Amino acid sequence: MTAMSQADVSAEIGAIESAYQRSGAEETQPRLDYAPYRSSLLRHPTKDLHHADPEGVELWTPCFGERDVNPLESDLTIQHSGTPIGERMVVAGRVVDGDGRPVRRQLIEIWQANAGGRYIHKSDQHPSPIDPNFTGVGRCLTDDEGCYRFTTIKPGPYPWRNHHNAWRPAHIHFSLFGTEFTQRMITQMYFPGDPLFAMDPIFQSVTDQKARDRLVAAYDHDLTTHEWATGYRWDIVLTGTGRTPMEHTESPENPDSGADHR
Ligand SMILES: [Fe+2]
């Protein structure tokens, strides 16, 4: 093959220039497909960029560093001078995206009632005792595998004023961030076999059974520890068709709302 001369290349350049001038269009970026640039012909992209789901992409970026959260904050049973009453339990799992990839360094916050179903809040005055050794709030970061782990006390069911004799199934509230504070996601984790499921309008507001099932933790005997704590496993999927149902609200459950307290 005879090498192109500069004259040949210059002629091509000129022809393209003339065509561009006639087109009246304005281009501000280099053309990727530019024949005179011979060595680029097999190297430049020939297809449009693939537009990935921005939500999934954003979830890859760490939001918090190791120094932002003390590991002790994941143990809700050591926040006071004494041991809280109730069933000590571990809840652990993974936070993943829709393709099963770990979501690392994500801040997970939880809040819950005590073993008697009582929150420490002025709007929760139902006749069940406060536990002076249990506040019911904790947080942790996911690790490199997207794993989280909390030690806590199994919460009790509690009444609320949605309707007469309304009781919430036992649950733990979870809040997660993506990469930005505006991406806060809030949901509730339930316990397997709770007899209140069928009666709870919040649980039933997730109308698909498979989706509801994704809110229920599994008892895991491998996570249970000898003479210490029971174990429950609950994975959280942030995107995709198998995603964990999230509440529509952008703000956490607001105990100030009185009768709406849940
Ligand atoms: Fe609650």
Side-chain angles (χ1 to χ4, degrees), residues 66-78:
E66 294 284 2
R67 286 176 297 179
D68 295 326
V69 179
N70 187 318
L72 293 178
E73 294 179 70
S74 67
D75 190 341
L76 285 72
T77 69
I78 58 169

Side-chain angles (χ1 to χ4, degrees), residues 106-122:
Q106 293 297 300
L107 180 68
I108 302 183
E109 297 169 292
I110 64 170
W111 63 99
Q112 61 166 97
N114 68 22
R118 181 79 188 267
Y119 284 99
I120 296 181
H121 193 278
K122 63 182 186 302

Side-chain angles (χ1 to χ4, degrees), residues 75-84 120 131-137:
D75 190 341
L76 285 72
T77 69
I78 58 169
Q79 297 174 347
H80 301 274
S81 58
T83 303
I120 296 181
D131 185 338
N133 291 311
F134 191 75
T135 304
V137 175

Side-chain angles (χ1 to χ4, degrees), residues 238-261:
L238 294 186
T239 54
T241 54
R243 75 189 292 259
T244 304
M246 299 285 171
E247 296 170 13
H248 295 297
T249 175
E250 287 296 307
S251 60
E253 168 185 289
N254 179 7
D256 283 322
S257 53
D260 289 327
H261 177 50

Side-chain angles (χ1 to χ4, degrees), residues 231-244:
Y232 289 86
R233 187 165 296 281
W234 189 53
D235 294 334
I236 301 168
V237 182
L238 294 186
T239 54
T241 54
R243 75 189 292 259
T244 304

